[in-house]
Amino acid sequence: MTQKLPFEALSVETLPSRLGDNEALRAKIGKDTSAWKVREVGDGNLNLVFIVEGASGAAVVKQALPYVRLVGDSWPLPLKRSFFEYHALTRQEERAPGSVPTIYHFDEAQALIIMEYLSPHIILRRALIEGRQLPNIARDIGLFMARTLFRGSDLHMAARDRKADLALFADNVELCDITENLVFSDPYFDARMNRHTSPQLDGIVAELRADRDLKVEAQRLKHSFAANAETLLHGDLHSGSIMVTERETRMIDPEFAFYGPMAFDVGMLLANFWMSFFSQRGHEQSGKRDAMRAYLLEVTVETWVVFRAEFSHLWRTERTGMLYQKSLFEDQGDRLGAEQALDHVLHQIWTDLLGFAGIEVHRRILGLAHNADFETIADEDLRASCEAKALKFGRHLAVNRRQIHSIDEVSTLAALIEQESSI
Amino acid sequence: MTQKLPFEALSVETLPSRLGDNEALRAKIGKDTSAWKVREVGDGNLNLVFIVEGASGAAVVKQALPYVRLVGDSWPLPLKRSFFEYHALTRQEERAPGSVPTIYHFDEAQALIIMEYLSPHIILRRALIEGRQLPNIARDIGLFMARTLFRGSDLHMAARDRKADLALFADNVELCDITENLVFSDPYFDARMNRHTSPQLDGIVAELRADRDLKVEAQRLKHSFAANAETLLHGDLHSGSIMVTERETRMIDPEFAFYGPMAFDVGMLLANFWMSFFSQRGHEQSGKRDAMRAYLLEVTVETWVVFRAEFSHLWRTERTGMLYQKSLFEDQGDRLGAEQALDHVLHQIWTDLLGFAGIEVHRRILGLAHNADFETIADEDLRASCEAKALKFGRHLAVNRRQIHSIDEVSTLAALIEQESSI
């Protein structure tokens, strides 16, 4: 099935003729290509995304470009990220069934994935900006993270399989490089591609860049990100990588997938809820957002509670890998030994996720890739005020992460910072 | 140069005809193969080692066997370990020039490395058993560890190169598996291949296997060993992998090389000095060993001091990788920020090396692969008494590693345990 032609970017016009003989796509949406309707809807930073509708259905065609779409061809980026996305999606579907779009076809040479068109799903970030309270996201995302992170690690997998997979994903160098630089380093010095709401944030930006403790923590977290190949991460699990309906939640876009620390996915995800929390004041022209803020804190609490519960459940029932073997604990009648080890592992994830969350907040306000939660606040003074609070919150998390014991404390901290005009 | 013939184990008889046309070997030892004298001297657990002497010199031919020599062909082991050893040796030579044998030739299909014959070097472990005080080992080994561990990490390398190398060594699955099981797990339950001095140690063995805190620590260390791909390790850096003269020190046998935590090599190495310390009483028939014991503690102190000093020097002068970039610290006039980060990194290495050291002591007394320090003590009661002290010392290090602040404290602890008859 794989086309051997050299890579060529699709367009709305060429897609029907280029993919008209693709059996998977024809079977899904109908064989009459003259009836196909194609729209390009990519709103991310990197790729082309088409929705193709035919007589009997619809599908998404996602194609990588040989450069960063947000920046242009001055920043080349390998097509192989499509290969990593495809392999990540198949592993996620296996480990957390029903959590990602169904794949119909993958073409490595053309760097394209044909997959399920999720409808009427919208991007979670958009829903949160609109002030929609979705009842299932905490549970769905908490389960997704626990299942993919646990089942992709030496807690569950055969060591040989994990090492082979680690070698496969080690080649995802350029996308790791984006995270390594844009997330962990650039925000903390005058890097070329940085931007922030200016001049309103100039003072706090200078303060953060002079903050030795913060910078050391950010680099220690980068050290862990780069070295601690614990499990296959989604790698970019923010609210723009999640599609929702009132009842359903699907994780998309795992092209940043690689082997890293479990806490990274969890921390990035929670950071995006906390940023949504601090951005709500900027969206109050359409009505007060007190209930939405309360909802968002509840979501962070429930996500972590569900994650912990499911991770613990898997620890007790699927701990079949080489780490913390039952032969050392349960098989010796020492169930409590296994629980003690679980506490240690969860404690490490907790401590690290707070750090990753703090850094993620910073880079979304100080670095290259901002997010719509803040960007859509047109009033720059209002936006800067929301952003400044988030920056202070992020700094507190990153530097004090070993002294924060519970998610409730983080909720209290967020509420305190939100209420105080100067803190 | 590479032979395409299928693998065949060499023997003393076949070596001259099989390698008689090898240019590298002929150039080194002389072309007249009829004058070659061959001895097999492998005393390790895994491989064949030949010394070949000719008219003009000598060389070592090391060949992997497709099974574990210590156990036999019931335990197959891939020939590819020779490939990993070769690649580790070349990287070590590059990063710490003069610290490993010179390589003359590598044949992947025959799993053989032809290398420098070190003479009059002897195995460090043998020298220590004989009570010899070598003046340079602490300095030489401390420098070797700091240089290879620092320069093989994201502190120094380009991220792309490290990731590619990590993928290469990720395939060294079977040798990692040996460490993962034999070092971190088997000693703590009734594993098939375990043995210990019995019945003398039966009591303490039962105690250690019921020691929940110890077992949890051992597994957390295993977790770090398996996941934390920080740098290219030697992977088996004990006193049997080091050859010495009065003035020279060379590290050999890095076939266990893979990407793991820096603290592993340092911890295993120091553990072997501490085991030598506790074994000295078993060798006192040839004279008191008080001075030797004092020397061994001084060696551990100096090794760690040299390691810290060289690592810190490299941190200040060769920190060219993506971690803790100068752009965040020195380039902002914040030299102290870089020093703060260095303290954090060294603290982590210190805390973890104590754990790895404790576990290494245990596995050498309770697991499959014992060491000659204790094994050559013929009196079983005396041997058991030495071993029991080492076991208690190892347990103390592994469980209390976060509360031990200096290498001097460890020396005091070792001396205390050595002096007390029941502790």
Side-chain angles (χ1 to χ4, degrees), chain B residues 280-307:
Chain B
Q280 292 295 322
R281 192 171 301 279
H283 304 294
E284 288 193 323
Q285 70 281 14
S286 53
K288 290 291 281 180
R289 294 286 182 97
D290 291 335
M292 187 64 191
R293 272 188 287 270
Y295 161 79
L296 283 163
L297 294 185
E298 280 159 26
V299 165
T300 62
V301 172
E302 193 190 340
T303 302
W304 175 240
V305 167
V306 168
F307 174 85

PDB file of all heavy atoms in Angstrom, chain B residues 280-307:
ATOM      1  N   GLN B 280      39.890  -8.246  54.452  1.00  0.00           N
ATOM      2  CA  GLN B 280      41.300  -8.272  54.847  1.00  0.00           C
ATOM      3  C   GLN B 280      41.550  -9.188  56.045  1.00  0.00           C
ATOM      4  O   GLN B 280      42.569  -9.882  56.107  1.00  0.00           O
ATOM      5  CB  GLN B 280      41.807  -6.853  55.135  1.00  0.00           C
ATOM      6  CG  GLN B 280      41.890  -5.942  53.908  1.00  0.00           C
ATOM      7  CD  GLN B 280      42.903  -6.396  52.870  1.00  0.00           C
ATOM      8  OE1 GLN B 280      43.983  -6.875  53.214  1.00  0.00           O
ATOM      9  NE2 GLN B 280      42.543  -6.290  51.592  1.00  0.00           N
ATOM     10  N   ARG B 281      40.641  -9.225  57.015  1.00  0.00           N
ATOM     11  CA  ARG B 281      40.825 -10.077  58.183  1.00  0.00           C
ATOM     12  C   ARG B 281      40.991 -11.543  57.777  1.00  0.00           C
ATOM     13  O   ARG B 281      41.701 -12.304  58.444  1.00  0.00           O
ATOM     14  CB  ARG B 281      39.654  -9.922  59.167  1.00  0.00           C
ATOM     15  CG  ARG B 281      39.904 -10.555  60.538  1.00  0.00           C
ATOM     16  CD  ARG B 281      38.823 -10.203  61.549  1.00  0.00           C
ATOM     17  NE  ARG B 281      38.703  -8.757  61.764  1.00  0.00           N
ATOM     18  CZ  ARG B 281      39.483  -8.033  62.563  1.00  0.00           C
ATOM     19  NH1 ARG B 281      40.470  -8.626  63.226  1.00  0.00           N
ATOM     20  NH2 ARG B 281      39.307  -6.744  62.706  1.00  0.00           N
ATOM     21  N   GLY B 282      40.380 -11.907  56.693  1.00  0.00           N
ATOM     22  CA  GLY B 282      40.496 -13.284  56.202  1.00  0.00           C
ATOM     23  C   GLY B 282      41.840 -13.594  55.590  1.00  0.00           C
ATOM     24  O   GLY B 282      42.147 -14.755  55.300  1.00  0.00           O
ATOM     25  N   HIS B 283      42.638 -12.571  55.373  1.00  0.00           N
ATOM     26  CA  HIS B 283      43.944 -12.792  54.734  1.00  0.00           C
ATOM     27  C   HIS B 283      45.101 -12.455  55.674  1.00  0.00           C
ATOM     28  O   HIS B 283      46.219 -12.256  55.233  1.00  0.00           O
ATOM     29  CB  HIS B 283      44.033 -11.957  53.452  1.00  0.00           C
ATOM     30  CG  HIS B 283      42.922 -12.215  52.485  1.00  0.00           C
ATOM     31  ND1 HIS B 283      42.753 -13.426  51.842  1.00  0.00           N
ATOM     32  CD2 HIS B 283      41.884 -11.442  52.076  1.00  0.00           C
ATOM     33  CE1 HIS B 283      41.674 -13.376  51.066  1.00  0.00           C
ATOM     34  NE2 HIS B 283      41.132 -12.180  51.196  1.00  0.00           N
ATOM     35  N   GLU B 284      44.831 -12.433  56.980  1.00  0.00           N
ATOM     36  CA  GLU B 284      45.857 -11.970  57.926  1.00  0.00           C
ATOM     37  C   GLU B 284      46.862 -13.043  58.309  1.00  0.00           C
ATOM     38  O   GLU B 284      47.823 -12.756  59.023  1.00  0.00           O
ATOM     39  CB  GLU B 284      45.192 -11.368  59.179  1.00  0.00           C
ATOM     40  CG  GLU B 284      44.554 -10.024  58.874  1.00  0.00           C
ATOM     41  CD  GLU B 284      44.148  -9.226  60.109  1.00  0.00           C
ATOM     42  OE1 GLU B 284      43.693  -9.858  61.093  1.00  0.00           O
ATOM     43  OE2 GLU B 284      44.291  -8.003  60.097  1.00  0.00           O
ATOM     44  N   GLN B 285      46.645 -14.282  57.821  1.00  0.00           N
ATOM     45  CA  GLN B 285      47.643 -15.309  58.118  1.00  0.00           C
ATOM     46  C   GLN B 285      49.020 -14.889  57.620  1.00  0.00           C
ATOM     47  O   GLN B 285      50.051 -15.264  58.165  1.00  0.00           O
ATOM     48  CB  GLN B 285      47.238 -16.688  57.551  1.00  0.00           C
ATOM     49  CG  GLN B 285      47.282 -16.831  56.040  1.00  0.00           C
ATOM     50  CD  GLN B 285      46.067 -16.206  55.354  1.00  0.00           C
ATOM     51  OE1 GLN B 285      45.321 -15.442  55.952  1.00  0.00           O
ATOM     52  NE2 GLN B 285      45.887 -16.537  54.085  1.00  0.00           N
ATOM     53  N   SER B 286      49.037 -14.048  56.592  1.00  0.00           N
ATOM     54  CA  SER B 286      50.330 -13.571  56.073  1.00  0.00           C
ATOM     55  C   SER B 286      50.727 -12.223  56.676  1.00  0.00           C
ATOM     56  O   SER B 286      51.416 -11.428  56.041  1.00  0.00           O
ATOM     57  CB  SER B 286      50.246 -13.459  54.549  1.00  0.00           C
ATOM     58  OG  SER B 286      49.127 -12.674  54.188  1.00  0.00           O
ATOM     59  N   GLY B 287      50.250 -11.921  57.880  1.00  0.00           N
ATOM     60  CA  GLY B 287      50.625 -10.654  58.524  1.00  0.00           C
ATOM     61  C   GLY B 287      49.418  -9.773  58.749  1.00  0.00           C
ATOM     62  O   GLY B 287      48.420  -9.856  58.041  1.00  0.00           O
ATOM     63  N   LYS B 288      49.497  -8.958  59.779  1.00  0.00           N
ATOM     64  CA  LYS B 288      48.393  -8.060  60.112  1.00  0.00           C
ATOM     65  C   LYS B 288      48.084  -7.149  58.929  1.00  0.00           C
ATOM     66  O   LYS B 288      48.969  -6.772  58.177  1.00  0.00           O
ATOM     67  CB  LYS B 288      48.749  -7.226  61.346  1.00  0.00           C
ATOM     68  CG  LYS B 288      48.785  -8.030  62.633  1.00  0.00           C
ATOM     69  CD  LYS B 288      47.392  -8.503  63.062  1.00  0.00           C
ATOM     70  CE  LYS B 288      46.614  -7.373  63.748  1.00  0.00           C
ATOM     71  NZ  LYS B 288      45.266  -7.848  64.163  1.00  0.00           N
ATOM     72  N   ARG B 289      46.820  -6.765  58.805  1.00  0.00           N
ATOM     73  CA  ARG B 289      46.401  -5.937  57.682  1.00  0.00           C
ATOM     74  C   ARG B 289      45.854  -4.566  58.117  1.00  0.00           C
ATOM     75  O   ARG B 289      45.083  -3.964  57.392  1.00  0.00           O
ATOM     76  CB  ARG B 289      45.343  -6.684  56.852  1.00  0.00           C
ATOM     77  CG  ARG B 289      45.871  -7.948  56.145  1.00  0.00           C
ATOM     78  CD  ARG B 289      46.743  -7.575  54.937  1.00  0.00           C
ATOM     79  NE  ARG B 289      47.239  -8.726  54.203  1.00  0.00           N
ATOM     80  CZ  ARG B 289      46.647  -9.207  53.094  1.00  0.00           C
ATOM     81  NH1 ARG B 289      45.554  -8.657  52.629  1.00  0.00           N
ATOM     82  NH2 ARG B 289      47.172 -10.250  52.463  1.00  0.00           N
ATOM     83  N   ASP B 290      46.255  -4.110  59.312  1.00  0.00           N
ATOM     84  CA  ASP B 290      45.738  -2.809  59.781  1.00  0.00           C
ATOM     85  C   ASP B 290      46.079  -1.681  58.805  1.00  0.00           C
ATOM     86  O   ASP B 290      45.224  -0.856  58.472  1.00  0.00           O
ATOM     87  CB  ASP B 290      46.299  -2.462  61.168  1.00  0.00           C
ATOM     88  CG  ASP B 290      45.747  -3.382  62.243  1.00  0.00           C
ATOM     89  OD1 ASP B 290      44.632  -3.920  62.027  1.00  0.00           O
ATOM     90  OD2 ASP B 290      46.414  -3.573  63.274  1.00  0.00           O
ATOM     91  N   ALA B 291      47.332  -1.661  58.339  1.00  0.00           N
ATOM     92  CA  ALA B 291      47.737  -0.601  57.425  1.00  0.00           C
ATOM     93  C   ALA B 291      46.995  -0.723  56.096  1.00  0.00           C
ATOM     94  O   ALA B 291      46.622   0.276  55.478  1.00  0.00           O
ATOM     95  CB  ALA B 291      49.247  -0.656  57.188  1.00  0.00           C
ATOM     96  N   MET B 292      46.754  -1.959  55.680  1.00  0.00           N
ATOM     97  CA  MET B 292      46.032  -2.177  54.426  1.00  0.00           C
ATOM     98  C   MET B 292      44.595  -1.685  54.550  1.00  0.00           C
ATOM     99  O   MET B 292      44.053  -1.064  53.623  1.00  0.00           O
ATOM    100  CB  MET B 292      46.074  -3.671  54.065  1.00  0.00           C
ATOM    101  CG  MET B 292      45.503  -4.017  52.711  1.00  0.00           C
ATOM    102  SD  MET B 292      46.450  -3.262  51.338  1.00  0.00           S
ATOM    103  CE  MET B 292      45.327  -3.586  49.956  1.00  0.00           C
ATOM    104  N   ARG B 293      43.993  -1.956  55.706  1.00  0.00           N
ATOM    105  CA  ARG B 293      42.624  -1.461  55.921  1.00  0.00           C
ATOM    106  C   ARG B 293      42.589   0.067  55.874  1.00  0.00           C
ATOM    107  O   ARG B 293      41.717   0.655  55.251  1.00  0.00           O
ATOM    108  CB  ARG B 293      42.066  -1.974  57.251  1.00  0.00           C
ATOM    109  CG  ARG B 293      41.375  -3.331  57.142  1.00  0.00           C
ATOM    110  CD  ARG B 293      40.672  -3.712  58.434  1.00  0.00           C
ATOM    111  NE  ARG B 293      41.640  -4.089  59.466  1.00  0.00           N
ATOM    112  CZ  ARG B 293      42.068  -5.346  59.635  1.00  0.00           C
ATOM    113  NH1 ARG B 293      41.611  -6.329  58.880  1.00  0.00           N
ATOM    114  NH2 ARG B 293      42.953  -5.616  60.569  1.00  0.00           N
ATOM    115  N   ALA B 294      43.549   0.685  56.549  1.00  0.00           N
ATOM    116  CA  ALA B 294      43.593   2.159  56.534  1.00  0.00           C
ATOM    117  C   ALA B 294      43.794   2.674  55.112  1.00  0.00           C
ATOM    118  O   ALA B 294      43.154   3.638  54.673  1.00  0.00           O
ATOM    119  CB  ALA B 294      44.721   2.651  57.445  1.00  0.00           C
ATOM    120  N   TYR B 295      44.694   1.983  54.392  1.00  0.00           N
ATOM    121  CA  TYR B 295      44.939   2.355  52.986  1.00  0.00           C
ATOM    122  C   TYR B 295      43.649   2.267  52.159  1.00  0.00           C
ATOM    123  O   TYR B 295      43.322   3.171  51.375  1.00  0.00           O
ATOM    124  CB  TYR B 295      46.018   1.442  52.398  1.00  0.00           C
ATOM    125  CG  TYR B 295      46.038   1.403  50.885  1.00  0.00           C
ATOM    126  CD1 TYR B 295      46.638   2.437  50.166  1.00  0.00           C
ATOM    127  CD2 TYR B 295      45.459   0.346  50.188  1.00  0.00           C
ATOM    128  CE1 TYR B 295      46.649   2.405  48.772  1.00  0.00           C
ATOM    129  CE2 TYR B 295      45.460   0.307  48.797  1.00  0.00           C
ATOM    130  CZ  TYR B 295      46.046   1.341  48.093  1.00  0.00           C
ATOM    131  OH  TYR B 295      46.056   1.310  46.729  1.00  0.00           O
ATOM    132  N   LEU B 296      42.896   1.204  52.339  1.00  0.00           N
ATOM    133  CA  LEU B 296      41.677   1.017  51.531  1.00  0.00           C
ATOM    134  C   LEU B 296      40.654   2.118  51.807  1.00  0.00           C
ATOM    135  O   LEU B 296      40.003   2.618  50.883  1.00  0.00           O
ATOM    136  CB  LEU B 296      41.075  -0.365  51.790  1.00  0.00           C
ATOM    137  CG  LEU B 296      41.826  -1.500  51.084  1.00  0.00           C
ATOM    138  CD1 LEU B 296      41.463  -2.861  51.703  1.00  0.00           C
ATOM    139  CD2 LEU B 296      41.516  -1.507  49.580  1.00  0.00           C
ATOM    140  N   LEU B 297      40.524   2.513  53.068  1.00  0.00           N
ATOM    141  CA  LEU B 297      39.596   3.615  53.357  1.00  0.00           C
ATOM    142  C   LEU B 297      40.103   4.919  52.758  1.00  0.00           C
ATOM    143  O   LEU B 297      39.320   5.707  52.215  1.00  0.00           O
ATOM    144  CB  LEU B 297      39.367   3.753  54.858  1.00  0.00           C
ATOM    145  CG  LEU B 297      38.643   2.555  55.512  1.00  0.00           C
ATOM    146  CD1 LEU B 297      38.366   2.845  56.982  1.00  0.00           C
ATOM    147  CD2 LEU B 297      37.350   2.200  54.780  1.00  0.00           C
ATOM    148  N   GLU B 298      41.424   5.112  52.839  1.00  0.00           N
ATOM    149  CA  GLU B 298      41.982   6.312  52.182  1.00  0.00           C
ATOM    150  C   GLU B 298      41.711   6.294  50.683  1.00  0.00           C
ATOM    151  O   GLU B 298      41.439   7.339  50.072  1.00  0.00           O
ATOM    152  CB  GLU B 298      43.503   6.392  52.410  1.00  0.00           C
ATOM    153  CG  GLU B 298      43.897   6.944  53.768  1.00  0.00           C
ATOM    154  CD  GLU B 298      45.325   6.523  54.146  1.00  0.00           C
ATOM    155  OE1 GLU B 298      46.141   6.265  53.229  1.00  0.00           O
ATOM    156  OE2 GLU B 298      45.603   6.423  55.363  1.00  0.00           O
ATOM    157  N   VAL B 299      41.811   5.113  50.073  1.00  0.00           N
ATOM    158  CA  VAL B 299      41.556   5.009  48.629  1.00  0.00           C
ATOM    159  C   VAL B 299      40.116   5.404  48.302  1.00  0.00           C
ATOM    160  O   VAL B 299      39.863   6.124  47.328  1.00  0.00           O
ATOM    161  CB  VAL B 299      41.871   3.583  48.123  1.00  0.00           C
ATOM    162  CG1 VAL B 299      41.281   3.353  46.730  1.00  0.00           C
ATOM    163  CG2 VAL B 299      43.380   3.365  48.084  1.00  0.00           C
ATOM    164  N   THR B 300      39.170   4.950  49.121  1.00  0.00           N
ATOM    165  CA  THR B 300      37.771   5.327  48.826  1.00  0.00           C
ATOM    166  C   THR B 300      37.600   6.838  48.951  1.00  0.00           C
ATOM    167  O   THR B 300      36.948   7.460  48.115  1.00  0.00           O
ATOM    168  CB  THR B 300      36.763   4.620  49.760  1.00  0.00           C
ATOM    169  OG1 THR B 300      37.015   5.018  51.122  1.00  0.00           O
ATOM    170  CG2 THR B 300      36.854   3.115  49.650  1.00  0.00           C
ATOM    171  N   VAL B 301      38.188   7.414  49.985  1.00  0.00           N
ATOM    172  CA  VAL B 301      38.074   8.867  50.171  1.00  0.00           C
ATOM    173  C   VAL B 301      38.699   9.599  48.989  1.00  0.00           C
ATOM    174  O   VAL B 301      38.089  10.494  48.385  1.00  0.00           O
ATOM    175  CB  VAL B 301      38.738   9.310  51.495  1.00  0.00           C
ATOM    176  CG1 VAL B 301      38.784  10.835  51.591  1.00  0.00           C
ATOM    177  CG2 VAL B 301      37.998   8.709  52.689  1.00  0.00           C
ATOM    178  N   GLU B 302      39.915   9.186  48.630  1.00  0.00           N
ATOM    179  CA  GLU B 302      40.611   9.901  47.557  1.00  0.00           C
ATOM    180  C   GLU B 302      39.916   9.710  46.206  1.00  0.00           C
ATOM    181  O   GLU B 302      39.839  10.633  45.392  1.00  0.00           O
ATOM    182  CB  GLU B 302      42.081   9.452  47.476  1.00  0.00           C
ATOM    183  CG  GLU B 302      42.910  10.400  46.604  1.00  0.00           C
ATOM    184  CD  GLU B 302      44.305   9.857  46.291  1.00  0.00           C
ATOM    185  OE1 GLU B 302      44.773   8.976  47.027  1.00  0.00           O
ATOM    186  OE2 GLU B 302      44.902  10.314  45.305  1.00  0.00           O
ATOM    187  N   THR B 303      39.406   8.502  45.962  1.00  0.00           N
ATOM    188  CA  THR B 303      38.698   8.272  44.697  1.00  0.00           C
ATOM    189  C   THR B 303      37.529   9.245  44.556  1.00  0.00           C
ATOM    190  O   THR B 303      37.334   9.878  43.516  1.00  0.00           O
ATOM    191  CB  THR B 303      38.172   6.817  44.625  1.00  0.00           C
ATOM    192  OG1 THR B 303      39.272   5.924  44.764  1.00  0.00           O
ATOM    193  CG2 THR B 303      37.460   6.550  43.318  1.00  0.00           C
ATOM    194  N   TRP B 304      36.755   9.372  45.635  1.00  0.00           N
ATOM    195  CA  TRP B 304      35.594  10.258  45.593  1.00  0.00           C
ATOM    196  C   TRP B 304      36.027  11.726  45.495  1.00  0.00           C
ATOM    197  O   TRP B 304      35.432  12.504  44.741  1.00  0.00           O
ATOM    198  CB  TRP B 304      34.713  10.013  46.816  1.00  0.00           C
ATOM    199  CG  TRP B 304      33.544  10.953  46.929  1.00  0.00           C
ATOM    200  CD1 TRP B 304      33.279  11.818  47.941  1.00  0.00           C
ATOM    201  CD2 TRP B 304      32.465  11.133  45.982  1.00  0.00           C
ATOM    202  NE1 TRP B 304      32.124  12.523  47.704  1.00  0.00           N
ATOM    203  CE2 TRP B 304      31.597  12.129  46.495  1.00  0.00           C
ATOM    204  CE3 TRP B 304      32.152  10.557  44.740  1.00  0.00           C
ATOM    205  CZ2 TRP B 304      30.448  12.563  45.827  1.00  0.00           C
ATOM    206  CZ3 TRP B 304      30.999  10.986  44.070  1.00  0.00           C
ATOM    207  CH2 TRP B 304      30.170  11.973  44.613  1.00  0.00           C
ATOM    208  N   VAL B 305      37.084  12.092  46.210  1.00  0.00           N
ATOM    209  CA  VAL B 305      37.585  13.472  46.149  1.00  0.00           C
ATOM    210  C   VAL B 305      38.066  13.804  44.735  1.00  0.00           C
ATOM    211  O   VAL B 305      37.741  14.863  44.173  1.00  0.00           O
ATOM    212  CB  VAL B 305      38.714  13.689  47.187  1.00  0.00           C
ATOM    213  CG1 VAL B 305      39.454  14.996  46.923  1.00  0.00           C
ATOM    214  CG2 VAL B 305      38.129  13.680  48.599  1.00  0.00           C
ATOM    215  N   VAL B 306      38.829  12.885  44.147  1.00  0.00           N
ATOM    216  CA  VAL B 306      39.318  13.110  42.778  1.00  0.00           C
ATOM    217  C   VAL B 306      38.157  13.170  41.790  1.00  0.00           C
ATOM    218  O   VAL B 306      38.103  14.032  40.909  1.00  0.00           O
ATOM    219  CB  VAL B 306      40.321  12.000  42.370  1.00  0.00           C
ATOM    220  CG1 VAL B 306      40.610  12.046  40.872  1.00  0.00           C
ATOM    221  CG2 VAL B 306      41.608  12.130  43.180  1.00  0.00           C
ATOM    222  N   PHE B 307      37.209  12.239  41.956  1.00  0.00           N
ATOM    223  CA  PHE B 307      36.046  12.235  41.074  1.00  0.00           C
ATOM    224  C   PHE B 307      35.318  13.574  41.131  1.00  0.00           C
ATOM    225  O   PHE B 307      35.016  14.192  40.117  1.00  0.00           O
ATOM    226  CB  PHE B 307      35.083  11.100  41.451  1.00  0.00           C
ATOM    227  CG  PHE B 307      33.799  11.140  40.661  1.00  0.00           C
ATOM    228  CD1 PHE B 307      33.717  10.555  39.408  1.00  0.00           C
ATOM    229  CD2 PHE B 307      32.676  11.797  41.154  1.00  0.00           C
ATOM    230  CE1 PHE B 307      32.545  10.620  38.665  1.00  0.00           C
ATOM    231  CE2 PHE B 307      31.499  11.873  40.422  1.00  0.00           C
ATOM    232  CZ  PHE B 307      31.435  11.273  39.171  1.00  0.00           C
TER     233      PHE B 307
END
